[in-house]
Amino acid sequence: MRSSLQHPARLVPLAFLIAIAIGTALLLLPIATAGSGGTDFITALFTATSAVCVTGLIVVDTPTYWTPFGQAVILALIQVGGFGIMTGGTLLGVLISRRLGLRTRIVAQAETRTLDLGEVTSVLRLIFVATLVVELTIWAALAARLHWEYGEPLPLAIWNGLFHAISAFNNAGFSTYSDSLVGFADDWLFLGAIMLAVIVGGIGFPVLADLRRRLLHPSKWSVHTKITLLGTGALIVTGTLAVLFYEPVADGTLNPLTFPERLLEALFHSVMTRTAGFNAIDVGALRSETLVVTDVLMFIGGGSAGTAGGIKVSTALVLILAVWAEIRGEADVTAFHRRFSRDVQRQALTLIVLAMIAIALATLHLLSVTTFSLERVLFETVSAFATVGLSTGITGDLPPSAELTLVALMFVGRVGTITVATGLALKRSQRPYRYPEERPIVG
Amino acid sequence: MRSSLQHPARLVPLAFLIAIAIGTALLLLPIATAGSGGTDFITALFTATSAVCVTGLIVVDTPTYWTPFGQAVILALIQVGGFGIMTGGTLLGVLISRRLGLRTRIVAQAETRTLDLGEVTSVLRLIFVATLVVELTIWAALAARLHWEYGEPLPLAIWNGLFHAISAFNNAGFSTYSDSLVGFADDWLFLGAIMLAVIVGGIGFPVLADLRRRLLHPSKWSVHTKITLLGTGALIVTGTLAVLFYEPVADGTLNPLTFPERLLEALFHSVMTRTAGFNAIDVGALRSETLVVTDVLMFIGGGSAGTAGGIKVSTALVLILAVWAEIRGEADVTAFHRRFSRDVQRQALTLIVLAMIAIALATLHLLSVTTFSLERVLFETVSAFATVGLSTGITGDLPPSAELTLVALMFVGRVGTITVATGLALKRSQRPYRYPEERPIVG
Ligand SMILES: [K+]
Ligand SMILES: [K+]
């Protein structure tokens, strides 16, 4: 116990386990559920894990199954989970740069350009202020829109606005509407506010801190900020184009719509894969090819040390840039006139391979205990791992062992990537001798 | 044209293109088809490509659609393709070791342990002899079994034995039986001979040459031989266990069988994924989870510079060992007291990522022009890329654009991996300056 507390990377999973346990206990209270007698253990555990891990997968209908008390518990768990992962990720990032800084001064200097805040309290305060400012702004916008445009009574509009502002900034994807945001499918203002909150929350605090200090001096941004912004933009455009390309066919979900409506739907779906999980479109009706593209986008996810999930944009870009350098015959992997260390390349590779293994094992288990097709099962497991929360609708029909698999996958996806990344960055044991080099044939 | 001939890695694709063109022309002859008027262009192109690339995917039934002349053409194309890829892969391997040897003497010494044959003619002769010995042995065994056990008339038994001996050693998967080898599902001797030919042909010539010289001195085997043998064994066991685990359930393909029958079926299916493509089981009736495991095994494929396809066992192991080293915090990637260079790690990564991209693009196209499910389409594209030839039965029902996609995928899978691997190993341009190092956040 003592050694697990001493290793800082293990504090995050421990804190999340405690939050999930408390959340499960609260949701098991009879006053949390609309029916009599309270809910069952697996439903409470699944919902608490989904909320704390800001995933948004649900086995029961949020607005009708849970009472206002239950919904408030879910909202509190989302806020705790989102704030926890943002601060945890940021502080572990600071820690890594400090530790590496003790060894190689150049790396540390480059690293502190990404985030050179002095104190833990300072980080906590800044994240708290950022959360508060964004959530209050979006809350006001959503509540006003719900009251004046959709005629919701003011208290209800305030509650729904608050719920969706918190859920969006924390990339949680929970909604107090049974059909998520399908009712706002042609509302640029409402969906625009949601998208803004999702992107700001999911881009990661190191990027926000960098932008806050040097917004008007892009050339001084850290390479992490640059590749995260570039990658996020490219992924959003790719997702939008894919939906616009695949879905307007006969029988496709976008077929009956005008072009502006199609564009909004495609853009919104694409942004939600980074990894918010609201839907304004019937995900279960999407074509297989759209689901596959969405799988890839969800797997990559959002920015590091933010509320988004997935392996992270920067991780994917490090690997893509390594492949690109190899194709061009370059010895160094570079971006924006900066070189990436060999270490960080192998860490990115390891993270991605471990993520694929976790998803593959969960997919095999779900396939073996259900009759659902591979496209639907894979979509579900990727969505759970990357804490997206989108679903083709199979979540509520899974047997208990599959639900528990998703619980484990959400937890591993939420805290596993950051824990593994920190562990790999801090662990380094050199053998006292080296073996002779030999080249196996490749390909 | 001159520059493409000068670069040795480009000779292999060029030779394969010529063989495919000649094969297509021969199959277009009216005497090649049983019906009147000859076949259409796409069918001839698809079949010739599948034969030359030793894949085995078919859009028409080999024994009834093609005449004995047509079948003889297919058999000749298989032999040319198998011999071509084995010699091409081996010679390019020798070339790489020579070129690298000019720069770093240590690497070259380690490399020549894998294959230190002096001359091109010597390599050709050795491969020719190996092919002849194995094919004649298996031919005799199969023909005898077909004649005495199954009562086939001697000329027919000799023809069928020859066809399957060549098809098996070259990992081609073409069969003169409409149901492939389902009729031999409980015949340990017949399937055993096929498996032996498949494994020997698919393990790769560098391993065969190493074993031939030092069979009784395992400690002196090259690291390439060791990891290829170890990896092949592990993959065969994994595949066998997966089929035994998933298929005996109610409605599963192995459910009605006794345990020895199940074991034979599972073992045979597993060996065929390295990447021979015969089937003694109804692949279209396999469960989704078995198909997914098979996808992974097919993607990895067989040994380098042999008749097998896929990204190759050694490529996969280099990447897995890199991940394992990272998890243990080791700076070096090692196996059997040997260290792998950084270069070969990044080459393996690049090969795998490019393979995944090719398969993903083909999968998206097939999904968008057909109504087949993801599990069946993905199985088909992985089978085509890794030149396996197993199919859930959709090959004959694809629209022309999908057939052409598979033609391209078979070609890229067959000659692309070896061409890319050679190109990467020989290409190396160092910039005259290095950028400062900076560490993005990963995970
Ligand atoms: K989410
Ligand atoms: K094959």
Side-chain angles (χ1 to χ4, degrees):
Chain A
M1 190 64 189
R2 197 156 162 263
S3 73
S4 78
L5 282 175
Q6 279 180 333
H7 201 305
R10 293 182 192 158
L11 278 176
V12 174
L14 196 64
F16 271 73
L17 277 181
I18 292 169
I20 290 170
I22 294 172
T24 305
L26 288 174
L27 290 178
L28 277 170
L29 295 177
I31 52 164
T33 38
S36 61
T39 187
D40 63 296
F41 176 72
I42 289 190
T43 300
L45 174 67
F46 192 98
T47 306
T49 306
S50 183
V52 172
C53 296
V54 293
T55 308
L57 285 176
I58 47 174
V59 286
V60 292
D61 183 43
T62 307
T64 57
Y65 187 87
W66 304 106
T67 57
F69 172 80
Q71 295 174 32
V73 168
I74 291 172
L75 196 60
L77 294 175
I78 290 171
Q79 186 60 76
V80 166
F83 188 79
I85 203 68
M86 215 168 184
T87 52
T90 303
L91 292 172
L92 287 175
V94 173
L95 186 76
I96 290 173
S97 71
R98 292 275 163 83
R99 290 278 178 92
L100 294 182
L102 292 176
R103 295 179 193 178
T104 45
R105 191 138 185 86
I106 302 164
V107 177
Q109 281 173 337
E111 180 61 45
T112 49
R113 284 195 54 209
T114 298
L115 184 73
D116 54 4
L117 304 169
E119 307 291 327
V120 169
T121 51
S122 167
V123 168
L124 289 176
R125 190 168 43 79
L126 274 167
I127 293 179
F128 180 78
V129 170
T131 303
L132 206 65
V133 168
V134 177
E135 288 183 356
L136 284 177
T137 310
I138 301 296
W139 179 15
L142 295 183
R145 187 85 181 150
L146 287 172
H147 181 60
W148 280 295
E149 179 71 20
Y150 294 91
E152 288 191 2
L154 199 57
L156 183 65
I158 288 175
W159 169 242
N160 283 332
L162 175 67
F163 195 98
H164 286 88
I166 291 178
S167 186
F169 179 76
N170 292 291
N171 277 233
F174 277 88
S175 174
T176 45
Y177 302 106
S178 296
D179 59 356
S180 190
L181 304 183
V182 171
F184 307 91
D186 59 352
D187 187 344
W188 276 92
L189 285 174
F190 192 89
L191 296 188
I194 295 280
M195 285 191 277
L196 186 67
V198 163
I199 292 175
V200 172
I203 203 84
F205 183 69
V207 172
L208 293 181
D210 203 19
L211 292 181
R212 171 175 161 275
R213 296 184 42 160
R214 290 179 278 256
L215 183 60
L216 300 178
H217 305 282
S219 65
K220 291 186 178 171
W221 294 347
S222 74
V223 76
H224 177 78
T225 297
K226 286 176 183 167
I227 63 175
T228 299
L229 290 176
L230 180 78
T232 301
L235 291 172
I236 289 174
V237 170
T238 303
T240 305
L241 291 179
V243 176
L244 280 179
F245 183 71
Y246 288 132
E247 289 298 325
V249 297
D251 302 338
T253 52
L254 297 191
N255 185 268
L257 306 182
T258 64
F259 182 75
E261 290 169 340
R262 288 176 179 180
L263 184 62
L264 176 59
E265 288 280 289
L267 177 65
F268 188 76
H269 177 77
S270 183
V271 171
M272 290 311 114
T273 63
R274 335 257 48 59
T275 53
F278 293 111
N279 62 290
I281 206 171
D282 179 6
V283 176
L286 289 175
R287 291 181 57 91
S288 298
E289 54 270 34
T290 311
L291 292 180
V292 171
V293 172
T294 306
D295 287 339
V296 175
L297 298 174
M298 294 193 299
F299 182 74
I300 297 174
S304 301
T307 58
I311 57 160
K312 305 302 176 324
V313 172
S314 54
T315 312
L317 264 177
V318 165
L319 212 72
I320 290 168
L321 291 168
V323 169
W324 181 236
E326 180 64 29
I327 290 171
R328 293 194 309 172
E330 307 266 355
D332 288 343
V333 177
T334 60
F336 300 107
H337 305 293
R338 289 291 179 277
R339 172 167 56 91
F340 297 161
S341 74
R342 299 268 192 182
D343 284 348
V344 86
Q345 296 172 39
R346 214 172 67 175
Q347 286 159 24
L349 169 68
T350 302
L351 205 61
I352 290 171
V353 170
L354 292 180
M356 285 181 166
I357 290 173
I359 290 170
L361 291 178
T363 301
L364 286 176
H365 179 68
L366 261 65
L367 284 175
S368 72
V369 297
T370 70
T371 56
F372 295 118
S373 65
L374 177 62
E375 49 259 61
R376 301 183 80 182
V377 166
L378 184 65
F379 193 88
E380 192 80 8
T381 52
V382 174
S383 178
F385 177 85
T387 68
V388 181
L390 292 175
S391 173
T392 60
I394 70 174
T395 325
D397 301 323
L398 296 173
S401 78
E403 286 188 26
L404 291 175
T405 302
L406 289 185
V407 166
L409 202 56
M410 288 191 281
F411 183 75
V412 166
R414 178 73 287 181
V415 301
T417 49
I418 194 174
T419 307
V420 168
T422 308
L424 295 179
L426 296 182
K427 187 179 180 184
R428 189 70 36 204
S429 77
Q430 178 72 51
R431 292 189 199 211
Y433 53 90
R434 299 187 82 181
Y435 291 123
E437 194 169 275
E438 186 167 335
R439 189 184 188 282
I441 302 172
V442 154
Chain B
M1 190 63 189
R2 195 153 165 267
S3 73
S4 79
L5 282 176
Q6 279 180 332
H7 200 304
R10 292 182 192 157
L11 279 175
V12 174
L14 197 63
F16 271 74
L17 277 180
I18 293 169
I20 290 170
I22 294 173
T24 305
L26 289 173
L27 290 178
L28 277 170
L29 296 176
I31 53 164
T33 37
S36 62
T39 187
D40 62 296
F41 176 72
I42 289 190
T43 300
L45 174 67
F46 192 97
T47 306
T49 307
S50 183
V52 172
C53 297
V54 294
T55 307
L57 285 177
I58 47 175
V59 286
V60 292
D61 183 42
T62 307
T64 56
Y65 189 87
W66 305 106
T67 58
F69 171 80
Q71 295 173 31
V73 168
I74 291 172
L75 197 60
L77 294 175
I78 289 170
Q79 186 58 77
V80 167
F83 189 78
I85 203 69
M86 214 166 183
T87 52
T90 303
L91 291 173
L92 287 175
V94 173
L95 186 76
I96 290 173
S97 71
R98 293 275 163 83
R99 292 277 179 93
L100 294 183
L102 292 176
R103 295 178 194 178
T104 44
R105 192 139 185 86
I106 301 163
V107 177
Q109 281 174 336
E111 180 61 47
T112 49
R113 283 195 53 208
T114 298
L115 185 73
D116 52 5
L117 303 168
E119 307 292 326
V120 169
T121 51
S122 167
V123 168
L124 289 175
R125 189 167 45 78
L126 274 168
I127 293 180
F128 180 78
V129 170
T131 303
L132 207 64
V133 167
V134 177
E135 288 184 356
L136 284 176
T137 310
I138 301 296
W139 181 15
L142 295 183
R145 187 85 183 152
L146 288 172
H147 180 60
W148 280 294
E149 178 73 20
Y150 295 91
E152 287 191 3
L154 199 57
L156 183 65
I158 288 175
W159 169 243
N160 282 333
L162 176 67
F163 196 98
H164 286 88
I166 292 179
S167 186
F169 179 75
N170 292 291
N171 277 234
F174 276 88
S175 175
T176 45
Y177 302 107
S178 296
D179 59 355
S180 190
L181 303 184
V182 171
F184 307 90
D186 58 354
D187 186 343
W188 276 92
L189 285 174
F190 191 90
L191 296 189
I194 294 281
M195 284 191 277
L196 186 68
V198 163
I199 291 174
V200 171
I203 203 84
F205 183 69
V207 172
L208 294 180
D210 202 19
L211 291 181
R212 172 176 160 275
R213 296 184 43 159
R214 289 178 279 255
L215 183 60
L216 300 178
H217 304 282
S219 65
K220 291 186 179 171
W221 294 348
S222 73
V223 76
H224 177 78
T225 298
K226 286 176 182 168
I227 63 175
T228 300
L229 290 176
L230 180 78
T232 300
L235 291 173
I236 289 174
V237 170
T238 304
T240 306
L241 291 179
V243 176
L244 280 178
F245 184 70
Y246 288 133
E247 290 299 324
V249 297
D251 301 338
T253 53
L254 298 192
N255 186 267
L257 307 182
T258 64
F259 182 75
E261 291 169 340
R262 289 177 179 179
L263 184 62
L264 176 59
E265 287 281 288
L267 177 65
F268 188 77
H269 177 77
S270 183
V271 171
M272 291 312 114
T273 63
R274 346 249 46 61
T275 53
F278 293 111
N279 62 290
I281 206 172
D282 179 7
V283 175
L286 290 174
R287 291 181 57 89
S288 298
E289 53 270 33
T290 311
L291 293 179
V292 170
V293 172
T294 306
D295 287 339
V296 175
L297 297 174
M298 295 193 298
F299 182 74
I300 296 174
S304 301
T307 58
I311 57 160
K312 305 303 176 322
V313 172
S314 54
T315 312
L317 264 177
V318 166
L319 211 72
I320 290 167
L321 290 169
V323 169
W324 182 235
E326 180 64 30
I327 290 171
R328 292 194 309 172
E330 307 266 355
D332 287 343
V333 176
T334 60
F336 300 108
H337 305 293
R338 289 293 178 275
R339 172 167 55 92
F340 298 161
S341 74
R342 298 268 191 183
D343 284 347
V344 87
Q345 296 173 39
R346 214 172 66 176
Q347 287 158 24
L349 169 68
T350 302
L351 205 62
I352 290 171
V353 169
L354 292 180
M356 284 180 167
I357 290 173
I359 290 170
L361 292 178
T363 302
L364 287 177
H365 180 67
L366 261 66
L367 284 174
S368 73
V369 297
T370 70
T371 57
F372 295 118
S373 66
L374 176 62
E375 48 258 61
R376 301 183 79 182
V377 166
L378 183 65
F379 192 88
E380 192 80 9
T381 52
V382 173
S383 178
F385 177 86
T387 68
V388 181
L390 292 174
S391 173
T392 59
I394 71 175
T395 325
D397 301 323
L398 296 173
S401 79
E403 286 188 27
L404 291 175
T405 301
L406 289 184
V407 165
L409 203 56
M410 288 190 281
F411 184 74
V412 166
R414 177 73 287 181
V415 302
T417 49
I418 194 176
T419 309
V420 167
T422 309
L424 295 179
L426 296 182
K427 187 179 179 184
R428 190 70 35 203
S429 76
Q430 179 72 52
R431 294 191 198 208
Y433 53 91
R434 300 187 82 183
Y435 291 122
E437 193 168 276
E438 185 167 336
R439 188 185 188 284
I441 303 171
V442 154

